[in-house]
Amino acid sequence: MSKHILAGVAVLVFCAVFSANGAAATAAGGRSPEWNKNLKLAVNDAAKAAEAMQAMPEADRAAFAAEVLAALQAKGQRMADKTVWANDFAAIAAGLVAGSGGVKSAVLAAVAAGIGNACADPETRELTSGSVTLLGALAKGMESQLQGEDRVAFASVLLATLGKQKASDAAVHKQAMSMVALALFSGAGDAKDRVLAEIFAFVDIQDLGVVAQAFSNAFNQRNNGLDNDVYLQVAQQVLQKVAARLKGQPDAAKRFASAVAAFAGGAGNPAQFERDLLGKLADLLAGIGAAPDGFATALAAAKADMAADNALVKVLFLKPWVGPLRGFPFVHENRPPPGKYQNQ
C-alpha cells in the first residue's frame, strides 16, 4: 500500500489517550520494573509494541495502552518532525490493539478516547490538514497489525467515538471524518466490504454527505480501471453488506441512500448506472424497510448533501493515490475501453 494515500489525519485517530483506567492506575502509585521496561519498549519501538502489550497481564492492558499513548503524545509535542512522530504513533497504536488479547474492546475504547484530545491539541491539530503521508501510516498500520474482524471492530468504535467528539470548526470536522473513513477502508484488506458497511452504519448522520462524496471520488470507475459489469458487481456486493448492517436502524434508508449515491457518483455516467443499479436493489430496499418512492426522495437528498460538501473533499485526492476498489478479489488491474458508464 502506498504511503501517499490521502491528506493527513492518522494523528486524529491515534492520539493522546488518558483513559480513566490509566489515570487511576497512575494515581495508585509507582510502576513495577516490568511495567516500566515494557512501557519504554512500546514507546520507542513500533515493531515491539504488540510484544510489550502481550507481556502485560490482561487486566492491565487497557491502562498500559493509555499510558503508552499518553507518553507518545508528550513525545510528539517535543518533536520538530511531526510526520515521523505521527507515523510511529499509528504503528505503535495498531500494535497495542493487535496485542490486546481478550481485552481488545477495552483497548479499542482507550485508543478511540484520544481522538478528541488530538483535535484540541495545538501541537498536533495542524496535522489534520497537511501531509499526505500521515493517513498512509494509519492504513498501513491497520492492514499489517489487524486481521479481518478486528479491522471491522476498529472501524466501528473509532467512527462512533469521532461522531461524539467533534471539532469546533464544522469544516475541519467533516474533512477529518472523510479522511478517517477513507483510511479505515484503505487499510481494511480482505475486510473492505464489511468495513465500508460499518462506515455507513456508524458515521454521524450529519457527516454522511462528505463521507459519501469522498468515497464517490475514490470509487471513480475510470481511475479504478473497471468495466461496467465489474463496477456494478462491486456496488452490489458492498451494498448487500451495507443493507445487512443497517437492518433495523431507524435511519437505514438515509444511510443506504448515501452509499448508493457514492457508487453512482463514481460512475462515468451516473444516471445510467443508477438506473441499472436500482433495478437490482428491490430485495435490499425491502429488507431495510424502504419503500421505492420514499427511497427515491432519500437518494435525491443524499446527492444534494454530497454536492454541498464536494469542495471539502477535493483536497483529499492527491496523485498518485487512486483506486481502493482494487482491494476486492474480483477487481482486475487492466483498464477497459470506455463503456456505457464511462463518458468519453
Side-chain angles (χ1 to χ4, degrees):
M1 179 177 294
S2 170
K3 67 178 181 179
H4 299 291
I5 297 183
L6 306 166
V9 78
V11 62
L12 183 66
V13 179
F14 291 126
C15 279
V17 177
F18 297 93
S19 74
N21 287 339
T26 300
R31 297 304 193 184
S32 68
E34 185 71 11
W35 179 292
N36 290 329
K37 182 185 78 173
N38 288 322
L39 178 64
K40 183 176 180 180
L41 181 65
V43 169
N44 293 297
D45 190 339
K48 298 288 187 180
E51 180 181 320
M53 177 69 109
Q54 290 170 339
M56 302 297 296
E58 280 200 348
D60 293 339
R61 287 179 184 173
F64 179 73
E67 191 163 323
V68 169
L69 294 175
L72 282 169
Q73 179 71 4
K75 182 179 179 180
Q77 291 169 345
R78 299 189 302 268
M79 289 180 64
D81 190 338
K82 294 294 195 296
T83 300
V84 170
W85 166 75
N87 279 276
D88 288 346
F89 208 130
I92 290 169
L96 293 173
V97 174
S100 57
V103 291
K104 187 167 272 122
S105 295
V107 173
L108 282 169
V111 172
I115 294 173
N117 292 346
C119 292
D121 188 344
E123 294 295 327
T124 56
R125 186 172 52 202
E126 65 193 64
L127 295 177
T128 62
S129 59
S131 171
V132 296
T133 67
L134 300 180
L135 205 57
L138 167 58
K140 184 177 180 181
M142 180 183 175
E143 189 169 33
S144 64
Q145 297 287 350
L146 304 178
Q147 299 305 311
E149 289 305 319
D150 291 338
R151 293 169 183 165
V152 176
F154 187 58
S156 63
V157 73
L158 289 176
L159 289 166
T161 301
L162 185 57
K164 299 173 184 177
Q165 295 178 303
K166 296 187 177 184
S168 57
D169 186 305
V172 169
H173 169 76
K174 285 190 172 187
Q175 285 186 318
M177 283 301 302
S178 58
M179 289 186 284
V180 169
L182 286 162
L184 292 171
F185 181 71
S186 297
D190 59 0
K192 269 185 164 59
D193 50 357
R194 287 174 291 163
V195 167
L196 192 62
E198 293 298 303
I199 289 169
F200 279 100
F202 278 93
V203 73
D204 189 275
I205 197 77
Q206 296 180 357
D207 300 322
L208 278 173
V210 72
V211 169
Q213 183 60 51
F215 276 113
S216 176
N217 291 5
F219 291 167
N220 185 283
Q221 184 182 357
R222 181 177 292 277
N223 286 348
N224 280 282
L226 306 183
D227 62 28
N228 300 329
D229 290 340
V230 170
Y231 190 71
L232 190 61
Q233 188 180 2
V234 169
Q236 288 180 270
Q237 174 186 317
V238 173
L239 291 171
Q240 285 174 356
K241 292 290 196 307
V242 173
R245 191 66 185 83
L246 293 175
K247 191 172 182 179
Q249 289 191 205
D251 53 8
K254 180 175 178 61
R255 291 179 176 278
F256 192 70
S258 293
V260 170
F263 276 103
N269 187 333
Q272 178 65 54
F273 174 80
E274 186 178 308
R275 287 193 293 271
D276 291 348
L277 179 62
L278 289 177
K280 300 178 181 295
L281 295 183
D283 290 343
L284 297 184
L285 293 178
I288 63 172
D293 290 346
F295 185 74
T297 301
L299 184 58
K303 291 189 285 187
D305 288 343
M306 287 170 58
D309 288 331
N310 185 46
L312 294 176
V313 300
K314 285 183 177 179
V315 298
L316 305 183
F317 295 89
L318 305 174
K319 293 183 178 181
W321 184 83
V322 292
L325 286 180
R326 289 179 178 170
F328 287 98
F330 49 78
V331 172
H332 53 75
E333 294 291 327
N334 297 322
R335 186 181 301 278
K340 62 179 177 180
Y341 304 147
Q342 298 176 310
N343 290 336
Q344 300 189 50

